[in-house]
Amino acid sequence: MTRNLTAIALAACLVAGCSTGGQKLTQSGFLGHQQPLQRAGKHKNAAFWVAPTFHGAMYRRVVVAPVEWHAPPREAAVQEQLTRKFHDALTERLAGRYRIVEESDADASTLRVRAAITNVRRTRWYINAPAQVASSLTFGTVSLFAPLQGGASEEVQIEDARTGAVLAKLAAFRNGKPWNVKGSYVAYDHARMAFAEAARRLDEVLAGSIVAGQSDGR
């Protein structure tokens, strides 16, 4: 029995390429002319650019535009669900420091956030479940081994809502973590967590609290 389960685990690993993610920083074209992005300090999965003319204290409001889809196609319902989740993550995070307004209410103190999902991967529970059981039985301990985790990549552009001037850009990604047990079984839960993390990085960029590291090589 254990031998059979071990074989299942190995087969699952081969199918998944022994990978727990696959996301990376993207260049989808969404950000237009690509200024050299700098790695976001200790955050190796994010890179950003800020215009020298950006003065964060000038802005008190933000418009969060509908999130765009620049990833490989998915079912329409899935795309709608994920773009909404990313939009909600951005809105919730930025509401801590800005007043969220509609485009019609934008004034000279308003930023516009334009964002896109540029890659996404779903969790395959039917691969992760037998792999975890087999690994637990093989090694005699509870295992979180999940060879096919999900994740997402995103790109975000910040503009002055009145002038359209580009003030900042961010590229980010996140792969699933095995200790997120729910994410090993819920199809796009790791993508949801990636959206929340990208929103945090964006908030830090706007607050000026991220120290730029080396160029990301673009």
PDB file of all heavy atoms in Angstrom, residues 198-215:
ATOM      1  N   ALA A 198       0.678  41.851  -3.501  1.00  0.00           N
ATOM      2  CA  ALA A 198       0.974  42.911  -4.468  1.00  0.00           C
ATOM      3  C   ALA A 198       0.393  44.245  -3.994  1.00  0.00           C
ATOM      4  O   ALA A 198       1.023  45.300  -4.163  1.00  0.00           O
ATOM      5  CB  ALA A 198       0.410  42.548  -5.840  1.00  0.00           C
ATOM      6  N   ALA A 199      -0.792  44.198  -3.397  1.00  0.00           N
ATOM      7  CA  ALA A 199      -1.397  45.425  -2.866  1.00  0.00           C
ATOM      8  C   ALA A 199      -0.552  45.997  -1.735  1.00  0.00           C
ATOM      9  O   ALA A 199      -0.395  47.224  -1.624  1.00  0.00           O
ATOM     10  CB  ALA A 199      -2.817  45.135  -2.383  1.00  0.00           C
ATOM     11  N   ARG A 200       0.018  45.139  -0.899  1.00  0.00           N
ATOM     12  CA  ARG A 200       0.908  45.613   0.173  1.00  0.00           C
ATOM     13  C   ARG A 200       2.151  46.274  -0.399  1.00  0.00           C
ATOM     14  O   ARG A 200       2.582  47.329   0.062  1.00  0.00           O
ATOM     15  CB  ARG A 200       1.313  44.451   1.089  1.00  0.00           C
ATOM     16  CG  ARG A 200       0.227  43.983   2.016  1.00  0.00           C
ATOM     17  CD  ARG A 200       0.783  43.130   3.138  1.00  0.00           C
ATOM     18  NE  ARG A 200       1.423  41.907   2.669  1.00  0.00           N
ATOM     19  CZ  ARG A 200       0.792  40.775   2.450  1.00  0.00           C
ATOM     20  NH1 ARG A 200      -0.526  40.692   2.632  1.00  0.00           N
ATOM     21  NH2 ARG A 200       1.440  39.697   2.049  1.00  0.00           N
ATOM     22  N   ARG A 201       2.748  45.622  -1.409  1.00  0.00           N
ATOM     23  CA  ARG A 201       3.947  46.199  -2.014  1.00  0.00           C
ATOM     24  C   ARG A 201       3.618  47.558  -2.629  1.00  0.00           C
ATOM     25  O   ARG A 201       4.417  48.501  -2.532  1.00  0.00           O
ATOM     26  CB  ARG A 201       4.509  45.256  -3.082  1.00  0.00           C
ATOM     27  CG  ARG A 201       4.994  43.914  -2.623  1.00  0.00           C
ATOM     28  CD  ARG A 201       6.238  43.983  -1.764  1.00  0.00           C
ATOM     29  NE  ARG A 201       5.893  44.179  -0.354  1.00  0.00           N
ATOM     30  CZ  ARG A 201       5.543  43.192   0.463  1.00  0.00           C
ATOM     31  NH1 ARG A 201       5.474  41.951   0.028  1.00  0.00           N
ATOM     32  NH2 ARG A 201       5.262  43.453   1.725  1.00  0.00           N
ATOM     33  N   LEU A 202       2.468  47.678  -3.285  1.00  0.00           N
ATOM     34  CA  LEU A 202       2.093  48.947  -3.892  1.00  0.00           C
ATOM     35  C   LEU A 202       1.942  50.021  -2.831  1.00  0.00           C
ATOM     36  O   LEU A 202       2.430  51.149  -2.999  1.00  0.00           O
ATOM     37  CB  LEU A 202       0.785  48.789  -4.672  1.00  0.00           C
ATOM     38  CG  LEU A 202       0.231  50.086  -5.276  1.00  0.00           C
ATOM     39  CD1 LEU A 202       1.196  50.644  -6.315  1.00  0.00           C
ATOM     40  CD2 LEU A 202      -1.141  49.854  -5.882  1.00  0.00           C
ATOM     41  N   ASP A 203       1.280  49.708  -1.734  1.00  0.00           N
ATOM     42  CA  ASP A 203       1.091  50.656  -0.651  1.00  0.00           C
ATOM     43  C   ASP A 203       2.444  51.116  -0.104  1.00  0.00           C
ATOM     44  O   ASP A 203       2.650  52.299   0.192  1.00  0.00           O
ATOM     45  CB  ASP A 203       0.259  50.006   0.456  1.00  0.00           C
ATOM     46  CG  ASP A 203      -0.251  51.019   1.466  1.00  0.00           C
ATOM     47  OD1 ASP A 203      -0.448  52.194   1.104  1.00  0.00           O
ATOM     48  OD2 ASP A 203      -0.442  50.636   2.636  1.00  0.00           O
ATOM     49  N   GLU A 204       3.388  50.189  -0.007  1.00  0.00           N
ATOM     50  CA  GLU A 204       4.727  50.536   0.482  1.00  0.00           C
ATOM     51  C   GLU A 204       5.470  51.430  -0.510  1.00  0.00           C
ATOM     52  O   GLU A 204       6.190  52.346  -0.106  1.00  0.00           O
ATOM     53  CB  GLU A 204       5.514  49.252   0.756  1.00  0.00           C
ATOM     54  CG  GLU A 204       4.986  48.469   1.947  1.00  0.00           C
ATOM     55  CD  GLU A 204       5.524  47.058   2.021  1.00  0.00           C
ATOM     56  OE1 GLU A 204       6.203  46.617   1.066  1.00  0.00           O
ATOM     57  OE2 GLU A 204       5.262  46.386   3.030  1.00  0.00           O
ATOM     58  N   VAL A 205       5.304  51.167  -1.789  1.00  0.00           N
ATOM     59  CA  VAL A 205       5.926  52.018  -2.807  1.00  0.00           C
ATOM     60  C   VAL A 205       5.385  53.443  -2.701  1.00  0.00           C
ATOM     61  O   VAL A 205       6.148  54.423  -2.706  1.00  0.00           O
ATOM     62  CB  VAL A 205       5.680  51.451  -4.218  1.00  0.00           C
ATOM     63  CG1 VAL A 205       6.045  52.478  -5.288  1.00  0.00           C
ATOM     64  CG2 VAL A 205       6.493  50.172  -4.432  1.00  0.00           C
ATOM     65  N   LEU A 206       4.077  53.570  -2.585  1.00  0.00           N
ATOM     66  CA  LEU A 206       3.470  54.894  -2.509  1.00  0.00           C
ATOM     67  C   LEU A 206       3.844  55.617  -1.226  1.00  0.00           C
ATOM     68  O   LEU A 206       3.933  56.848  -1.194  1.00  0.00           O
ATOM     69  CB  LEU A 206       1.951  54.771  -2.625  1.00  0.00           C
ATOM     70  CG  LEU A 206       1.428  54.276  -3.974  1.00  0.00           C
ATOM     71  CD1 LEU A 206      -0.084  54.109  -3.945  1.00  0.00           C
ATOM     72  CD2 LEU A 206       1.835  55.213  -5.099  1.00  0.00           C
ATOM     73  N   ALA A 207       4.073  54.851  -0.168  1.00  0.00           N
ATOM     74  CA  ALA A 207       4.458  55.455   1.110  1.00  0.00           C
ATOM     75  C   ALA A 207       5.940  55.774   1.169  1.00  0.00           C
ATOM     76  O   ALA A 207       6.408  56.415   2.112  1.00  0.00           O
ATOM     77  CB  ALA A 207       4.085  54.520   2.256  1.00  0.00           C
ATOM     78  N   GLY A 208       6.694  55.303   0.165  1.00  0.00           N
ATOM     79  CA  GLY A 208       8.130  55.532   0.152  1.00  0.00           C
ATOM     80  C   GLY A 208       8.895  54.698   1.153  1.00  0.00           C
ATOM     81  O   GLY A 208      10.018  55.039   1.538  1.00  0.00           O
ATOM     82  N   SER A 209       8.303  53.578   1.576  1.00  0.00           N
ATOM     83  CA  SER A 209       8.935  52.774   2.627  1.00  0.00           C
ATOM     84  C   SER A 209       9.724  51.586   2.089  1.00  0.00           C
ATOM     85  O   SER A 209      10.285  50.818   2.859  1.00  0.00           O
ATOM     86  CB  SER A 209       7.862  52.266   3.606  1.00  0.00           C
ATOM     87  OG  SER A 209       6.905  51.452   2.943  1.00  0.00           O
ATOM     88  N   ILE A 210       9.786  51.409   0.760  1.00  0.00           N
ATOM     89  CA  ILE A 210      10.589  50.350   0.172  1.00  0.00           C
ATOM     90  C   ILE A 210      11.914  50.930  -0.321  1.00  0.00           C
ATOM     91  O   ILE A 210      11.927  51.960  -1.008  1.00  0.00           O
ATOM     92  CB  ILE A 210       9.849  49.678  -1.004  1.00  0.00           C
ATOM     93  CG1 ILE A 210       8.758  48.736  -0.474  1.00  0.00           C
ATOM     94  CG2 ILE A 210      10.820  48.880  -1.868  1.00  0.00           C
ATOM     95  CD1 ILE A 210       8.063  47.934  -1.550  1.00  0.00           C
ATOM     96  N   VAL A 211      12.977  50.301   0.059  1.00  0.00           N
ATOM     97  CA  VAL A 211      14.304  50.712  -0.397  1.00  0.00           C
ATOM     98  C   VAL A 211      14.626  49.975  -1.681  1.00  0.00           C
ATOM     99  O   VAL A 211      14.484  48.750  -1.754  1.00  0.00           O
ATOM    100  CB  VAL A 211      15.376  50.418   0.661  1.00  0.00           C
ATOM    101  CG1 VAL A 211      16.762  50.795   0.153  1.00  0.00           C
ATOM    102  CG2 VAL A 211      15.048  51.165   1.958  1.00  0.00           C
ATOM    103  N   ALA A 212      15.054  50.700  -2.701  1.00  0.00           N
ATOM    104  CA  ALA A 212      15.365  50.083  -3.986  1.00  0.00           C
ATOM    105  C   ALA A 212      16.632  49.253  -3.879  1.00  0.00           C
ATOM    106  O   ALA A 212      17.610  49.659  -3.248  1.00  0.00           O
ATOM    107  CB  ALA A 212      15.525  51.138  -5.069  1.00  0.00           C
ATOM    108  N   GLY A 213      16.583  48.082  -4.503  1.00  0.00           N
ATOM    109  CA  GLY A 213      17.760  47.232  -4.596  1.00  0.00           C
ATOM    110  C   GLY A 213      18.368  47.356  -5.980  1.00  0.00           C
ATOM    111  O   GLY A 213      18.227  48.387  -6.645  1.00  0.00           O
ATOM    112  N   GLN A 214      19.007  46.299  -6.429  1.00  0.00           N
ATOM    113  CA  GLN A 214      19.621  46.325  -7.763  1.00  0.00           C
ATOM    114  C   GLN A 214      18.562  46.258  -8.853  1.00  0.00           C
ATOM    115  O   GLN A 214      17.424  45.900  -8.603  1.00  0.00           O
ATOM    116  CB  GLN A 214      20.611  45.150  -7.924  1.00  0.00           C
ATOM    117  CG  GLN A 214      19.974  43.793  -8.120  1.00  0.00           C
ATOM    118  CD  GLN A 214      19.545  43.134  -6.829  1.00  0.00           C
ATOM    119  OE1 GLN A 214      19.459  43.764  -5.792  1.00  0.00           O
ATOM    120  NE2 GLN A 214      19.264  41.853  -6.899  1.00  0.00           N
ATOM    121  N   SER A 215      18.965  46.605 -10.071  1.00  0.00           N
ATOM    122  CA  SER A 215      18.061  46.499 -11.204  1.00  0.00           C
ATOM    123  C   SER A 215      17.628  45.054 -11.389  1.00  0.00           C
ATOM    124  O   SER A 215      18.391  44.136 -11.095  1.00  0.00           O
ATOM    125  CB  SER A 215      18.742  46.990 -12.481  1.00  0.00           C
ATOM    126  OG  SER A 215      17.954  46.693 -13.617  1.00  0.00           O
TER     127      SER A 215
END
